[in-house]
Every structure is written in structure tokens, then in C-alpha cells.
Amino acid sequence: VRPVAAAPEKISEKVEESIKSAEEKCSEDPVSGECAAAWDEVEELSAAASHARDKKKDSDPLETFCKDNPETDECRTYDN
Amino acid sequence: MAVCTVYTIQTLNSTCSISKPNKTHLGFHQKQVVFYRTSKKIKKQSTITCTAANEKTVVIGLAADSGCGKSTFMRRLTNVFGGAAEPPKGGNPDSNTLISDMTTVICLDDYHSLDRTGRKKEGVTALDPKANDFDLMYEQVKAIKEGIAVDKPIYNHVSGLLDPPELIKPPKILVIEGLHPMFDQRVRDLLDFSIYLDISNDVKFAWKIQRDMAERGHSLESIKASIEARKPDFDAYIDPQKQYADAVIEVLPTQLIPGDNEGKVLRVRLIMKEGVKYFNPVYLFDEGSTINWIPCGRKLTCSYPGIKFSYGPDTYFGHEVSVLEMDGQFDRLDELIYVESHLSNISTKFYGEVTQQMLKLSDFPGSNNGTGLFQTIVGLKIRDLYEQLIAAKAAAPLQATKA
């Protein structure tokens, strides 16, 4: 079985957690390396979440179906 | 000149061998030699297909911060060469690589030397050179350029860990995209062409709001804090790379609407370095003049705020450059053919190719403003550069035999 990429919902939770921990880290020392690294993690996860969302949005239900079932009536296409 | 090696195997009815592109096959692309057996007779049959040995990989570098439209640009670029780019089949589902017939795009985050926990412990961001392995980056990009397949690590953006490596075969065009393609001088020297996407702070903020506001936990403050916290490293390590780029796409807030900060209407500048081999900058009407052009008028109706083009020579980090600028947005893409017909040196193969490319990807972000237009034009310039480089390489050994 092929592994499946992480679902957007799971990343969303991680984004939320990372924001909380970044806010905590930066309340101690707002100009430290730890603070910057924590916000960098937020950025990385936000980007991953938005990419996962885009991927999900792109998928057309009929096209996804036709990838697996090219022989069905609704999917058959002939070049000529 | 094509160099082929034919392997003779005596006992063909025992086992068949298929040679895989390995480290020894310099300059070869993909599987070249296939042996198969015919019935019980010991008869040698072999199919040999060879690509010219001098067909080396062309390497393109694209630098930009995260969330600045690198992936949109990559999809526009691969579309110019035809065929859709897809992640490697059957491999790691979180792989960052995109492969199409002509191009392979690798994400330089895969060369992180520290994973997420490692960076946290050291208190460095991914932007910091300390978090990146430039030696490995140099070695592997060099190997691919010479036609050798490599095992490249995978940085998993979801887990924040370095996953087991994947095999990258030498493509015709290799694109390395990420934060530091032009940071290390050795890697920089390997690049045949380099691009920097320069998004101004106001626009970056507006884009990240659009991207992240729907996300749980994010607020205006958290987006602002994230940009602010990464800014010192961005200014120190990422931004200076733009001085080395052959083309810079600068995205700024519009000047057509006073006080606009929505980031929807954009002023986009394409800064093209002069004197780069195989790269002739695009110009408007007359090469080397300074021109302001508002295409709206009797021939073209535009709605508010309209479109304004500028073109002219300039200097950028001490280099001579040509700058093409577009402010505003298209309401209908048929306006674009009117603009395209007045641009020269856009390296199209037929009249209307830029417009056609834009129409094909009309649902992509930036299709109605200068970002999409200039990304498409840069894509066409890269195709032109690739074709000239290949032609020059094919001609070089020919001249050597003549002499």
C-alpha cells in the first residue's frame, strides 16, 4: 500500500500548536535565536498547510475517478 | 557526437540484464541498453538507444522566500516546456521534487543539515547558512550537471525530519529552487541562469494574510510576528543573493491607486542583466530608450485603475540592466495580445505564444497582472537559453574535429 501524504487537517493542528509555543518562547526573550527559530517553524508549517490545501482544492472528483477507472462510460476518450 | 557502448553477454538465456543509469554512465540519460532473449537459440539481440553524450544538464537557480509564489513560477516554467510536473511516482509522498519530461525541480530545503528540532536547539532559522549543507548541495548539483544520478535527501516539511534519500536522475533541465541557490559561490558558478523573486514587505504581508488568515490559530499579530522574527536572517542571508541573479522579478504595491495596501493590484518590475550570454533582455518599442506607455485608449478599453508600462535602462548593484515594469491588471486576457505585440525579444516561437501560455494557466495566481506575464516571459527566455546552450555544445565538438 502506498503511503499517503499528511492530511491538511493534521497540519492545521500543528500550525496552531507551533503558534502557541512561538508566542510563549518570545514572551521570555523577543530577540533571541530561539524566538526566531520558533516563528520560522510556524512559517514552514503554514506553507506546508497551504500547499496541502491547494493540492486538495485542485483535485476534480470526476478526474480522480477517471484516473482509476479509465474504461467507464463517463471517462472513455478517443483521439479519433 | 554520440558515444555508445555495446555490452556482449554470452549466456543470454540464463538471465537478462538491464543497465541502470548509475554513477559510471557519464552523460547518459535514463536507461539506454536493453537486452532481451529470443527463444532457446543463443542469439544476441539488443536494442540500443543513445542520446548524444555531450547533452549535459542545464541548471537554473530560483531564489525566493517561502510563500512568495515559487511553486506557481515553477508550474508556469514547466508548462512552457510542455507536460505536467508531478512528484516522483511511488516514492515518499512528502517528496519536494517535481519531475516532468524536460525538467526536474528540486527544493533546496532537502539540503538542510539541521532538522526542525536541531534548529530549535541551536536557535537558528532555516534561513541561516549554518542550518544548510552547502558541501552536499554543491557535490550533488555538480554530479547531476555532469550526468550522474544522485541520492538526494528529503526534508519532510510536515514532520520536520530528514527522510531517507530518493534517486534523482539527470534531467535535461534541472531547476534548484529555495532560499539559498546563489549563496554558496561554488553552487552559484554551476548555474547557467539565475532568478530572484523579490517581494516587497507590504506585498509579502498582504499575501501571507490571504494565505494564512483562514488557518486556525493565525491572527494578524501572529503573521506580523512571524515576518518580523525572520527578517534579520532574511536581510542578512537571502536578500543579498539578488545581486547575482540574471533576472529579478520585483513585486511592489501599485502606484496607480494612492494608499493601496491590499496587494491585489501590483507593480511588477522585471530587471534583466545586460551582457549575459544567450540571454537578450526584452524591450518595449525601442531598445535602450526610456519609455512610459499607457495602452488604454481608443484601441483598448481598461477599467479602473488601468495599466501602465515602463521600460528603460538602469543600474542594479553596479550592473547594467534593462527594466520592464507593469503596473495594474488585465480585466480580460485579450488585452494581453495587444501588449505582447508591442514587446520585442520575448523568444516566442509564434505570434501570441505569451498570451496562449497565460490563457492555458488562467486560474493560477497572478494571471491577471505582471507577475504571471513576467514569469511566463522568463520561462520563454529560459527555453531560448536552453536551446542555444544545447546548440552551442553540439557545435563545439564538431568544430574540434574540423580543426
Side-chain angles (χ1 to χ4, degrees):
Chain A
V1 182
R2 235 186 117 226
V4 192
E9 298 82 44
K10 205 182 129 201
I11 310 175
S12 272
E13 275 167 38
K14 280 192 167 179
V15 174
E16 207 176 1
E17 276 169 40
S18 69
I19 291 171
K20 269 190 200 139
S21 86
E23 279 166 350
E24 273 167 37
K25 281 255 165 61
C26 295
S27 61
E28 294 157 22
D29 184 1
V31 284
S32 65
E34 283 79 27
C35 168
W39 280 117
D40 190 39
E41 184 192 318
V42 173
E43 171 60 30
E44 198 174 280
L45 285 167
S46 307
S50 119
H51 286 153
R53 268 202 310 271
D54 282 348
K55 239 184 231 169
K56 213 181 172 189
K57 201 171 58 191
D58 279 350
S59 61
D60 180 277
L62 183 63
E63 263 167 37
T64 326
F65 172 76
C66 286
K67 241 179 217 167
D68 301 326
N69 309 285
E71 282 311 303
T72 50
D73 278 348
E74 41 285 72
C75 302
R76 251 180 284 165
T77 47
Y78 298 102
D79 286 334
N80 52 39
Chain B
M1 257 211 350
V3 184
C4 309
T5 331
V6 183
Y7 299 92
T8 335
I9 296 170
Q10 301 295 335
T11 51
L12 261 176
N13 46 354
S14 55
T15 44
C16 298
S17 70
I18 294 164
S19 81
K20 283 180 191 164
N22 219 329
K23 296 201 172 182
T24 45
H25 282 148
L26 260 149
F28 272 34
H29 291 261
Q30 272 134 50
K31 292 167 197 160
Q32 258 86 44
V33 191
V34 179
F35 294 97
Y36 55 89
R37 58 183 163 159
T38 50
S39 71
K40 278 187 178 176
K41 282 181 192 168
I42 303 174
K43 198 179 177 187
K44 277 169 268 168
Q45 273 228 352
S46 50
T47 329
I48 301 156
T49 45
C50 290
T51 46
N54 51 36
E55 199 178 298
K56 275 191 183 174
T57 299
V58 173
V59 187
I60 314 282
L62 171 68
D65 197 6
S66 91
C68 291
K70 278 194 299 267
S71 40
T72 308
F73 191 3
M74 284 316 32
R75 288 194 287 170
R76 279 189 201 281
L77 179 65
T78 44
N79 211 65
V80 168
F81 290 99
E86 283 178 352
K89 284 193 181 71
N92 188 329
D94 291 318
S95 162
N96 307 308
T97 308
L98 286 172
I99 298 172
S100 72
D101 293 344
M102 288 286 281
T103 57
T104 293
V105 182
I106 60 175
C107 173
L108 293 178
D109 289 352
D110 291 337
Y111 293 107
H112 281 336
S113 55
L114 298 170
D115 61 10
R116 198 179 285 154
T117 33
R119 291 199 298 272
K120 265 190 182 169
K121 210 185 278 169
E122 300 277 322
V124 293
T125 65
L127 310 167
D128 198 304
K130 275 182 273 178
N132 294 281
D133 187 348
F134 289 105
D135 293 336
L136 185 69
M137 193 193 292
Y138 166 67
E139 276 163 28
Q140 297 206 331
V141 173
K142 186 167 178 277
I144 294 175
K145 194 169 185 180
E146 287 167 356
I148 303 163
V150 297
D151 272 320
K152 179 190 62 57
I154 299 174
Y155 177 73
N156 188 319
H157 284 102
V158 181
S159 67
L161 299 169
L162 286 157
D163 284 353
E166 60 183 353
L167 183 75
I168 302 289
K169 291 174 190 165
K172 291 198 171 87
I173 299 166
L174 176 76
V175 185
I176 54 171
E177 58 105 346
L179 296 163
H180 305 94
M182 289 101 88
F183 186 85
D184 187 278
Q185 204 213 321
R186 297 166 299 167
V187 182
R188 198 160 67 223
D189 291 343
L190 290 173
L191 300 176
D192 294 297
F193 195 74
S194 51
I195 308 143
Y196 185 90
L197 288 185
D198 190 4
I199 315 297
S200 74
N201 289 329
D202 293 337
V203 177
K204 207 184 267 185
F205 186 52
W207 282 4
K208 290 205 170 155
I209 289 173
Q210 282 172 32
R211 186 192 75 181
D212 291 336
M213 270 310 248
E215 197 62 58
R216 255 186 295 165
H218 261 304
S219 60
L220 272 180
E221 285 72 42
S222 69
I223 295 167
K224 205 174 236 166
S226 174
I227 293 178
E228 286 301 316
R230 294 170 80 251
K231 205 173 178 300
D233 281 357
F234 179 81
D235 291 343
Y237 309 119
I238 311 302
D239 204 49
Q241 292 180 93
K242 62 189 181 192
Q243 61 187 295
Y244 306 115
D246 297 319
V248 177
I249 296 180
E250 224 173 63
V251 183
L252 306 152
T254 182
Q255 288 181 336
L256 298 173
I257 308 169
D260 177 81
N261 51 8
E262 267 183 280
K264 280 195 180 119
V265 183
L266 300 171
R267 181 163 72 100
V268 187
R269 286 156 61 85
L270 173 61
I271 301 162
M272 299 161 283
K273 208 181 254 183
E274 291 284 343
V276 178
K277 212 178 180 190
Y278 306 125
F279 174 65
N280 293 315
V282 178
Y283 65 88
L284 183 65
F285 298 117
D286 182 41
E287 194 166 10
S289 298
T290 300
I291 291 159
N292 281 307
W293 181 46
I294 296 169
C296 310
R298 278 182 199 144
K299 281 190 190 162
L300 196 77
T301 40
C302 304
S303 69
Y304 183 78
I307 302 174
K308 187 183 169 201
F309 275 87
S310 315
Y311 164 77
D314 204 345
T315 50
Y316 190 75
F317 290 98
H319 294 291
E320 224 181 289
V321 293
S322 284
V323 182
L324 181 64
E325 179 184 310
M326 178 187 155
D327 197 348
Q329 58 188 32
F330 316 110
D331 293 310
R332 293 192 321 199
L333 275 169
D334 51 349
E335 294 177 1
L336 189 57
I337 188 78
Y338 183 74
V339 170
E340 183 184 345
S341 61
H342 292 95
L343 292 170
S344 302
N345 258 349
I346 41 179
S347 303
T348 47
K349 298 230 161 142
F350 52 87
Y351 175 68
E353 194 179 7
V354 172
T355 309
Q356 198 214 53
Q357 282 286 341
M358 295 275 287
L359 281 168
K360 241 199 268 176
L361 306 174
S362 56
D363 54 337
F364 277 28
S367 290
N368 65 342
N369 60 43
T371 55
L373 175 66
F374 292 159
Q375 285 173 0
T376 307
I377 289 175
V378 170
L380 293 168
K381 294 308 284 184
I382 289 173
R383 183 183 67 186
D384 191 35
L385 176 112
Y386 166 76
E387 281 167 1
Q388 287 186 62
L389 261 169
I390 292 303
K393 271 175 190 161
L398 215 74
Q399 275 180 336
T401 46
K402 270 182 195 166

